[in-house]
Amino acid sequence: MTQLILALILGSIFSFGTFLLLRRDLIKVILGVIILGQAANIYLITMGGFSGTVPVLSNSDSLVSITNPLVQALVLTAIVISLGTTAFVLVLLLRVHDEHGTLDIDRIWGQL
Amino acid sequence: MTASLSLINHAPVVPLLIALLTASVTLLSRRSIKLTISLSLLGMFAYVVSLLHLLRSVQHGPLVYQFSAWPAPYGISFVADSFASLLLCISAIITAGVLLYSITTIDESKQKFSYHSILHFMLFGVTGALLTGDLFNLFVWFEVTLMTSYVLVVFHSNPKQTKAGMTYVILNLIGSAFMLVSIGGIYATTGTLNLADLSLRLSQPDLYNISVPSVLLFSMILFTVFALKSGLVPLHFWVPLVYQAAPSPVSALLSGVVKKVGLYAMIRIFFTVFISNESTSVGEFSILTIFGISLLLLSSASMIFGGISALSQDNIDNLLAYSSISQMGFIMLPLSLAALFPSMRQMALMATIILTLNHSLAKASLFLVSGCIKNAIGSANLSDLGGLSRHSPILSFSVFISIFSLVGFPPLFGFFGKLHLLILPLNTESVPTTYSILLVLIILVGTILSLLYSVRLWNLGFWGEISPKVSASTFPRSNQYVILLFSIMLISFGIGFEFISPLIESASISAIDSSGYIEAVLYHK
């Protein structure tokens, strides 16, 4: 059941990101890209499976009962990377706005 | 622990550490531009030397470095084989040339703005991407390389660059999201991210309970991401936009080094990992067959489309960018044949490697020439040029050598690439006759197109009457010698092909030696 709900949620996040990506407003496009990236992160977390407890080792737990900690490490790395790229892309967005006075893609890229 | 650590050969991580160290010290020494430049040159020199040493020591088999001495599938491995080392060496040589060129052409005030540091961070990323033996690690190194290339593309920060940079960043962010999805899927279906372990598990999918159709799906997503990064049709549209807007030394780096990272990843993932799945198939086809058919279509389309588009360009940078798309087709076509016909796999890989090296050297040199022209004349439009061959013979000689090496004239280096490429479809034992005729036709049309746009570039820009803009300009000598160096390499690699062909041959063997890779990573020591 958890899996079905998560699959539906993930699907809708991905489609929402794609929807934003196809808009004319540059800031929406960038939001779409960010949402796509985050959707990929959530998806990556679900790839580790849902059984088991938090992956903190103590003497009482047996090894089999913890969830896969590797995907969580991967997602942490991916989040750090997306922080950097998001900061860069937002600065670039500001720059585009300064230089063209608009964030309408048709008006900026139309005069290419 | 100390005893086992001292036994490990540290050669594979030395270039990586040199690049990281140089990037850091050039960042710290920003106050004095002279110090930055000398540190940057010193670091570059050390990097090239360490790579030449690595290339020499991997000729007898791959070197594996396990970080913190964690054994292979659990820790992160670095694998240096002769294929990765050869590509890294050529990237290092090109970056060194571009660095020398940048020192004399880019304003000191702008160089001060961490240009050297970013350049070395890019090398750091490229080194990591080519040496890593782990799928997720590959993603991280891709991001390191891309992050630096974003900054370099918008380096002069004018409106044109901001627009091109925006397109480049957004496209690559979408690509990264897809790459993550594919990596997550591959991890969920196979249970490993280590390339050698992945290859081993895919060779016995039933034993490890792997569903091959899902792996096929995720491998195709990866393929799309790599095609985007290497600019194949129909994912090519960012190439002319970015190459035209970026500073010329950066365009040289993007086409000569960064694009090749996507190509390398494609070869590594498909010919080291997914190759092991050849015997088990989905329906009628194996993963490699489907990869081969898709790549055959994309590369032929790139070849023809890039060639035709390059014919009608007036701006030199645009012409070079479309030519780059077309040449990427030439580089990828033998790969697709290698995937489809196992009997000529090694020959095809040899063609790919020669064409890659040739394209990197020639295109880097051409982009630097375009930078020289832009600095001297203020425009890179063919309509403003003319008679450059009499005005600046050294520059024109380099252009002449580069374009005709791209087309494939003997005795230049590119000739051997075209030779190896053309004999592939003629191998009638494995290729059916109708296909072989069609393939030869596509290659010939692509070559004729590249001959046409090269001749057009030469006739309009370098022959004929000296145009008023050209006669009013002066070309500084110092940059031209760097470009001349690339041309001399193209000539000497062509004439002395006998001497470098063993290197290329061992690179092509190690690129497809899946079992050797597994052996080296998982069972060595």
Side-chain angles (χ1 to χ4, degrees):
Chain A
M1 195 58 195
T2 337
Q3 289 190 353
L4 181 71
I5 293 171
L6 255 170
L8 286 176
I9 291 176
L10 265 178
S12 43
I13 300 178
F14 267 114
S15 49
F16 184 52
T18 315
F19 170 72
L20 282 180
L21 205 60
L22 300 172
R23 313 268 36 208
R24 240 177 88 177
D25 191 353
L26 191 55
I27 196 154
K28 284 183 187 155
V29 172
I30 286 170
L31 282 177
V33 172
I34 295 170
I35 287 174
L36 266 190
Q38 294 309 318
N41 286 346
I42 303 171
Y43 160 88
L44 206 59
I45 277 280
T46 64
M47 288 296 122
F50 300 104
S51 55
T53 59
V54 277
V56 179
L57 273 187
S58 65
N59 291 332
S60 56
D61 295 333
S62 68
L63 274 174
V64 278
S65 69
I66 60 169
T67 60
N68 189 344
L70 182 72
V71 282
Q72 308 189 3
L74 300 187
V75 167
L76 274 180
T77 317
I79 287 174
V80 173
I81 292 171
S82 69
L83 174 78
T85 42
T86 307
F88 183 77
V89 85
L90 286 178
V91 171
L92 212 55
L93 178 79
L94 209 63
R95 192 61 197 247
V96 170
H97 185 71
D98 283 354
E99 279 163 358
H100 300 275
T102 174
L103 288 176
D104 185 335
I105 288 178
D106 282 2
R107 278 169 61 191
I108 301 171
W109 270 265
Q111 53 186 327
L112 202 74
Chain B
M1 196 65 174
T2 42
S4 71
L5 266 180
S6 64
L7 283 175
I8 295 174
N9 191 338
H10 290 277
V13 284
V14 173
L16 190 79
L17 291 179
I18 290 175
L20 180 62
L21 190 72
T22 318
S24 317
V25 293
T26 45
L27 194 65
L28 290 174
S29 67
R30 264 197 304 177
R31 278 167 191 279
S32 152
I33 183 71
K34 288 222 167 60
L35 184 63
T36 311
I37 290 177
S38 30
L39 283 173
S40 172
L41 284 174
L42 190 71
M44 195 65 230
F45 179 71
Y47 180 78
V48 173
V49 169
S50 72
L51 274 177
L52 289 175
H53 171 72
L54 186 66
L55 182 65
R56 216 183 50 151
S57 44
V58 294
Q59 290 305 318
H60 309 292
L63 283 179
V64 181
Y65 186 85
Q66 314 282 10
F67 278 93
S68 310
W70 285 98
Y74 309 110
I76 290 171
S77 337
F78 256 39
V79 190
D81 62 351
S82 44
F83 173 49
S85 313
L86 185 65
L87 281 192
L88 268 181
C89 269
I90 225 67
S91 313
I93 289 168
I94 286 165
T95 318
V98 169
L99 183 67
L100 287 175
Y101 175 90
S102 312
I103 288 172
T104 49
T105 44
I106 293 182
D107 286 352
E108 285 210 345
S109 58
K110 287 202 164 157
Q111 281 188 49
K112 221 172 173 175
F113 205 69
S114 37
Y115 180 79
H116 293 273
S117 180
I118 298 167
L119 203 74
H120 286 281
F121 270 122
M122 176 188 262
L123 269 185
F124 176 62
V126 171
T127 320
L130 264 67
L131 292 182
T132 187
D134 183 281
L135 196 54
F136 187 77
N137 222 239
L138 182 71
F139 165 77
V140 175
W141 290 116
F142 260 40
E143 289 303 306
V144 174
T145 318
L146 285 173
M147 195 70 201
T148 52
S149 67
Y150 299 155
V151 181
L152 285 177
V153 165
V154 296
F155 190 70
H156 288 324
S157 59
N158 54 39
K160 203 166 133 196
Q161 289 188 341
T162 323
K163 274 201 286 193
M166 200 70 184
T167 319
Y168 185 56
V169 174
I170 290 179
L171 266 176
N172 276 304
L173 285 183
I174 300 170
S176 303
F178 275 101
M179 192 169 173
L180 261 190
V181 166
S182 154
I183 289 173
I186 287 175
Y187 180 65
T189 35
T190 62
T192 184
L193 286 171
N194 185 293
L195 293 183
D197 199 24
L198 198 60
S199 180
L200 181 71
R201 288 180 185 219
L202 281 173
S203 62
Q204 300 151 307
D206 298 330
L207 185 68
Y208 292 97
N209 200 11
I210 294 171
S211 127
V212 179
S214 345
V215 177
L216 171 72
L217 170 72
F218 294 120
S219 75
M220 283 299 117
I221 299 179
L222 265 189
F223 168 65
T224 317
V225 174
F226 296 152
L228 171 74
K229 304 220 188 265
S230 41
L232 283 179
V233 168
L235 300 167
H236 64 281
F237 45 90
W238 61 272
V239 179
L241 201 66
V242 172
Y243 284 15
Q244 197 205 348
S248 300
V250 175
S251 303
L253 277 182
L254 286 181
S255 71
V257 179
V258 176
K259 235 183 181 187
K260 302 301 183 291
V261 177
L263 171 78
Y264 168 82
M266 200 185 275
I267 297 177
R268 182 52 85 210
I269 302 292
F270 281 92
F271 287 92
T272 305
V273 178
F274 293 126
I275 201 175
S276 66
N277 190 241
E278 233 180 356
S279 46
T280 51
S281 55
V282 187
E284 278 177 70
F285 303 112
S286 71
I287 293 181
L288 216 56
T289 332
I290 294 172
F291 162 75
I293 295 171
S294 337
L295 191 60
L296 184 63
L297 293 175
L298 294 195
S299 56
S300 319
S302 305
M303 212 187 270
I304 306 292
F305 173 83
I308 292 175
S309 309
L311 268 180
S312 60
Q313 302 302 322
D314 184 47
N315 184 293
I316 293 187
D317 283 336
N318 266 344
L319 190 148
L320 295 179
Y322 281 109
S323 144
S324 192
I325 296 170
S326 156
Q327 295 298 326
M328 220 51 204
F330 279 108
I331 291 172
M332 298 287 195
L333 188 74
L335 268 191
S336 65
L337 295 179
L340 291 172
F341 307 106
S343 61
M344 53 181 174
R345 198 158 277 163
Q346 194 235 322
M347 281 300 287
L349 254 296
M350 249 186 110
T352 299
I353 294 171
I354 300 172
L355 287 169
T356 309
L357 302 187
N358 176 51
H359 177 246
S360 291
L361 285 170
K363 209 32 87 51
S365 130
L366 285 173
F367 270 117
L368 294 186
V369 169
S370 135
C372 275
I373 294 175
K374 269 190 284 187
N375 283 342
I377 299 176
S379 130
N381 291 337
L382 285 174
S383 47
D384 294 334
L385 301 179
L388 272 172
S389 63
R390 265 178 291 167
H391 188 264
S392 53
I394 301 180
L395 209 64
S396 309
F397 175 73
S398 314
V399 172
F400 185 80
I401 296 298
S402 305
I403 53 180
F404 287 107
S405 189
L406 275 184
V407 178
F409 272 88
L412 301 170
F413 189 41
F415 165 69
F416 293 95
K418 285 280 159 68
L419 185 71
H420 280 82
L421 173 62
L422 258 178
I423 54 178
L424 289 175
L426 300 178
N427 182 348
T428 39
E429 280 170 28
S430 41
V431 189
T433 325
T434 39
Y435 290 117
S436 96
I437 292 173
L438 193 67
L439 280 171
V440 171
L441 213 66
I442 292 174
I443 296 172
L444 281 184
V445 169
T447 310
I448 289 170
L449 283 173
S450 42
L451 180 66
L452 284 178
Y453 66 68
S454 304
V455 169
R456 184 165 166 271
L457 172 68
W458 181 256
N459 280 349
L460 291 179
F462 295 85
W463 263 359
E465 293 297 306
I466 297 182
S467 77
K469 279 199 177 175
V470 172
S471 61
S473 62
T474 46
F475 288 83
R477 272 289 162 84
S478 52
N479 323 326
Q480 301 185 18
Y481 293 121
V482 177
I483 304 170
L484 191 64
L485 207 68
F486 285 137
S487 321
I488 290 172
M489 283 178 77
L490 283 174
I491 300 174
S492 51
F493 281 3
I495 293 173
F497 185 71
E498 250 175 86
F499 299 104
I500 63 155
S501 73
L503 281 179
I504 296 172
E505 200 171 339
S506 86
S508 67
I509 292 171
S510 77
I512 51 174
D513 184 15
S514 179
S515 54
Y517 191 89
I518 297 174
E519 181 88 11
V521 178
L522 292 180
Y523 305 116
H524 200 58
K525 279 173 203 160

